[in-house]
Amino acid sequence: MRPPIFIVGCSRSGTTLLRNLLRAHPDLTFPPESQFIPTYYRAYGDPASRADAIHLGKIILRTRSVRTWQLDLEPAAFGNCRSFQEVLCLLFGAWAKQEKKARWGDKTPQYVIDIPLLLDLFPTAQILHIIRDGRDVAMSAIRVGFEGNVATAAIRWRASVRAGQAAGAVYPAGTYFEVRYERLLESPQIVMKQICNFLNEPYDSVVLNPSPPRPHALSGAPWIAQDLPDGERMIVRSNAGKWRPAMRRAERVLFESLAGDLMKDLGYETEGKIRHVSALELGVWRLHHGFRYAIARVGVLDR
């Protein structure tokens, strides 16, 4: 089996664009986000019997995210699997066969906090961790309803990036590769050549033209519009630095107060204006986020 590829990163960091670019490669394919691997592995582990394997296969195939793949696969097909890895290989292998591609990967951003688990399952897997300026991440996440405010967005961005980097630092060369979103937009050919080299895949200029998975009525995230924005269908250079006109001064100060250390470590420009953010204030921001998030979900699902 060829090593699987996992694209991870804080949500709204460009994981979808990177997946769509790599999907254009003649040998690589990525289905819509799986969203279940760490959760199901911790819940079910390796199937100990044929009955366990079929039961696990049934649960996975009924998962909303996997249903969008439209696989010609029945739970009984998993009967001979005796490891979670074998279950995943069968599942993703069916997708790759359907796409007529030799090597599969998965793009689920939140797996950035579960890199060790992914590499326990697939020791030869390769991790692509894409990182974007947290202020652009925050404004994008608030716009689509993933976040309620800049404070919770800053905390999530910092925690996600730190977790990915910490995991990547302990694995041998050839396992983990960081991609800067801004660099990808600025010099796509150079960056995609570097990525193909890391993946031990021949570079093909077709990877400069995104190839999204086929659309389907089902969606793993029903609140997201089915029509992909320009930044996921093509390389849009102006998608970098969009926070500048959109972010109010108070929001910039708040973000830098909570995640300025990481911004500096990554080389992003900072304004140097910070303030104390108390535990009480953070609690209020979290409540605000929860309220806004719930309202956004209800509003969309009621359409």
Side-chain angles (χ1 to χ4, degrees):
M1 183 191 76
R2 300 183 67 181
I5 304 161
F6 291 98
I7 299 174
V8 300
C10 185
S11 297
R12 314 307 297 173
S13 291
T15 55
T16 299
L17 173 62
L18 181 55
R19 178 201 64 191
N20 292 346
L21 291 170
L22 286 173
R23 268 185 52 81
H25 193 283
D27 289 334
L28 305 179
T29 183
F30 296 76
E33 296 178 14
S34 64
Q35 301 180 357
F36 71 85
I37 293 176
T39 302
Y40 285 7
Y41 182 57
R42 293 183 178 113
Y44 301 103
D46 296 325
S49 66
R50 178 176 178 82
D52 285 347
I54 293 174
H55 178 65
L56 179 56
K58 183 183 296 185
I59 290 171
I60 291 173
L61 291 174
R62 286 180 176 175
T63 301
R64 185 180 182 91
S65 55
V66 176
R67 284 163 54 204
T68 68
W69 303 8
Q70 297 182 280
L71 297 176
D72 184 18
L73 201 61
E74 296 295 330
F78 295 89
N80 293 327
C81 297
R82 291 298 178 270
S83 71
F84 201 84
Q85 183 199 72
E86 288 179 311
V87 170
L88 294 180
C89 285
L90 179 60
L91 181 76
F92 282 90
W95 169 271
K97 182 179 180 180
Q98 189 170 267
E99 294 264 296
K100 297 180 172 60
K101 296 289 189 78
R103 186 178 181 187
W104 59 263
D106 181 31
K107 185 281 288 190
T108 302
Q110 62 264 30
Y111 292 174
V112 70
I113 64 173
D114 286 302
I115 291 174
L117 182 147
L118 297 177
L119 291 171
D120 281 345
L121 284 170
F122 296 99
T124 63
Q126 292 184 286
I127 309 294
L128 293 172
H129 178 195
I130 187 165
I131 299 173
R132 183 185 187 186
D133 188 319
R135 292 160 294 194
D136 275 331
V137 171
M139 301 313 290
S140 178
I142 292 170
R143 177 178 55 82
V144 301
F146 284 0
E147 289 291 345
N149 55 72
V150 166
T152 56
I155 293 169
R156 181 176 61 87
W157 176 74
R158 185 182 184 279
S160 297
V161 175
R162 288 291 194 205
Q165 291 188 315
V170 302
Y171 291 97
T175 301
Y176 171 91
F177 187 82
E178 282 185 6
V179 181
R180 288 298 184 90
Y181 179 74
E182 295 80 11
R183 178 70 170 152
L184 176 61
L185 300 188
E186 178 186 342
S187 304
Q189 185 178 55
I190 293 174
V191 173
M192 293 309 295
K193 282 183 176 179
Q194 292 172 341
I195 291 173
C196 287
N197 182 63
F198 166 74
L199 296 174
N200 298 310
E201 296 288 347
Y203 173 76
D204 190 314
S205 61
V206 296
V207 298
L208 301 179
N209 300 297
S211 174
R214 62 188 180 279
H216 188 263
L218 291 172
S219 170
W223 53 88
I224 300 177
Q226 292 298 300
D227 293 332
L228 292 175
D230 286 347
E232 296 175 5
R233 291 187 294 104
M234 62 187 76
I235 297 172
V236 182
R237 289 194 175 192
S238 60
N239 270 354
K242 295 178 75 172
W243 61 270
R244 288 185 177 87
M247 214 172 201
R248 298 190 299 271
R249 181 179 182 279
E251 291 175 324
R252 299 198 304 270
V253 172
L254 179 59
F255 191 97
E256 197 165 324
S257 298
L258 294 170
D261 59 336
L262 178 56
M263 293 167 63
K264 291 176 183 176
D265 289 348
L266 294 173
Y268 289 114
E269 65 174 277
T270 58
E271 297 177 337
K273 299 183 186 300
I274 62 173
R275 63 176 179 83
H276 174 68
V277 183
S278 68
L280 177 60
E281 182 183 350
L282 285 178
V284 172
W285 284 122
R286 289 189 175 101
L287 285 173
H288 174 263
H289 163 73
F291 177 76
R292 291 283 300 275
Y293 188 85
I295 292 297
R297 298 294 80 75
V298 172
V300 172
L301 295 177
D302 278 350
R303 290 177 186 172

